Amino acid sequence: MGGFILRRALYMIPTVFLVSIVTFIIIQLPPGDYLDSLAAEMGESGVDNTAVVEQLREQYGLGQPMYLQYWKWMTGILLEGDFGISFEKNLPVTDVIWDRLGWTFAISLLTLLFIWMVALPIGIYSAVRKYSVGDYVATFFGFVGLAVPNFLLALVMMYVAFRYFGQSVGGLVSPEYLDQPWSGAKFVDLLKHIWMPVFVVGTSGAAALIRIMRANLLDELYRPYVVTARAKGMSEFQLLLRYPVRVALNPFISTIGWILPTLVSGEIIVAVVMNLPTTGPLLLRALLVQDMYLAGSLILIVSLLTVIGTLLSDVLLAWVDPRIRYQ
């Protein structure tokens, strides 16, 4: 098992390297850069900005070839943990994204737990009680969860919470707690707010995994090994969990590879709508103003989550099904 994990971890290195190159090239594709946008804004106000812009271009190294800019950015990350400077905020990228990354990961992990807690039992029930009323209800809400955009669901829930329950909407805490130190009351207020983005972001993921679990389990329930175990007198509950559910979990677990980045990227629009202090609005703003080191660092983190999610799914699959580690 250790060798299996080591091989998978080594595969991550060239993958992340190639992702960083593609990310940097994509960020550089739009014409111009941040300083061009800044010069246009200053020019509209009638300010002679030529000397200032050239000084900043020299300071940030934006006049250098692309490969030199990439080398400077990547060596700073690897050797010093320096992701560069945010041009718009004139601060190190790490200072800008640190707090927001914490909230983003917290919401993503809570959402992942919510998805699994909802999708696993409902998917099993829908397969075992195929074509029952409960199965039709789960199917209906699953299709609704897949069809309704997250941002629209966020708007509806914010309206209902404010209109009928008088709850403050937007952000993770009420306005009176924004600048207050952490206390029991602030933590309780956080719990009153954080469930909404977790539910909104997790709805589509849970709906998709319910359908995946149902389909996987239906493929296994009528296999010969299940009929044989039932004929030997094994109880239905023990038989279900010991054999078909365990086999059906393989494709279910493999979805971790795309769920983690989907949670973060799907959270971007929801964060803008719900005014969440996460990386979503920050990434959107960085892309709009071509703040390339900030945008590139955030995209690189999302890409890294894809690789980490794939590694986790590989390890979990090898743990659940020992045949995989020998292939």
Side-chain angles (χ1 to χ4, degrees), residues 169-188:
V169 293
L172 292 176
V173 293
S174 300
E176 60 267 24
Y177 290 109
L178 282 177
D179 298 323
Q180 299 297 321
W182 282 101
S183 61
K186 184 174 182 178
F187 181 74
V188 171

Side-chain angles (χ1 to χ4, degrees), residues 112 115-116 205 209 252 255-264:
L112 186 61
I115 289 173
W116 276 61
L209 287 191
F252 192 81
T255 57
I256 295 178
W258 58 264
I259 279 184
L260 281 178
T262 300
L263 291 179
V264 177

Side-chain angles (χ1 to χ4, degrees), residues 108-123:
S108 298
L109 290 176
L110 288 174
T111 305
L112 186 61
L113 291 175
F114 166 76
I115 289 173
W116 276 61
M117 290 173 61
V118 170
L120 187 60
I122 295 179

Side-chain angles (χ1 to χ4, degrees), residues 175-255:
E176 60 267 24
Y177 290 109
L178 282 177
D179 298 323
Q180 299 297 321
W182 282 101
S183 61
K186 184 174 182 178
F187 181 74
V188 171
D189 188 71
L190 171 66
L191 296 180
K192 293 180 179 178
H193 287 77
I194 200 170
W195 69 270
M196 190 178 297
V198 168
F199 179 83
V200 171
V201 176
T203 300
S204 58
L209 287 191
I210 287 173
R211 306 304 301 167
I212 291 174
M213 187 62 191
R214 181 183 184 275
N216 294 340
L217 192 53
L218 282 175
D219 287 340
E220 301 296 330
L221 283 178
Y222 303 102
R223 294 290 177 90
Y225 70 86
V226 177
V227 177
T228 302
R230 185 177 291 114
K232 290 183 176 181
M234 184 179 292
S235 67
E236 285 294 322
F237 183 76
Q238 183 182 5
L239 184 152
L240 183 68
L241 294 183
R242 187 171 182 178
Y243 295 117
V245 168
R246 183 177 179 182
V247 175
L249 279 178
N250 283 15
F252 192 81
I253 292 173
S254 65
T255 57

